[in-house]
Amino acid sequence: MKDKRKQSQNPVIDQALLDQGSIQLKTEINTLENWLEDLKSADSSDPAVIEARKAYLDMLHSRREMLDALQKHSKK
């Protein structure tokens, strides 16, 4: 019987899938950056604008981290 606790922590992922994920994340990052740019001309005291900016920045940070992880995995 094989001990499943000793399986590799780095699963093998098809390079095409990694490439598709990278393309998708780059598209999302570009969209979020455009939305943030659009918010620069909005009323910075408007609570909806403040909340949108915070949400977009959080999403942007998350997407950049995911892209970085994918790119690191692709290099292995």
Side-chain angles (χ1 to χ4, degrees):
M1 180 177 353
K2 186 175 182 181
D3 186 353
K4 293 183 179 183
R5 292 176 294 178
K6 294 182 181 180
Q7 288 182 341
S8 171
Q9 295 296 322
N10 294 324
V12 176
I13 302 173
D14 181 45
Q15 187 60 45
L17 186 58
L18 291 170
D19 293 342
Q20 285 179 326
S22 293
I23 291 168
Q24 177 65 33
L25 287 168
K26 287 175 184 177
T27 300
E28 291 178 19
I29 288 168
N30 186 48
T31 299
L32 288 164
E33 288 173 339
N34 288 336
W35 289 350
L36 285 164
E37 188 64 33
D38 289 345
L39 284 178
K40 286 183 179 179
S41 62
D43 180 4
S44 61
S45 64
D46 182 346
V49 172
I50 294 168
E51 188 62 31
R53 183 175 289 118
K54 181 183 180 328
Y56 294 162
L57 285 170
D58 288 345
M59 287 186 275
L60 183 59
H61 179 73
S62 173
R63 297 315 188 277
R64 286 180 175 158
E65 284 181 345
M66 287 187 277
L67 181 59
D68 185 51
L70 276 181
Q71 290 174 336
K72 285 178 183 175
H73 192 82
S74 293
K75 294 176 183 176
K76 290 183 179 182

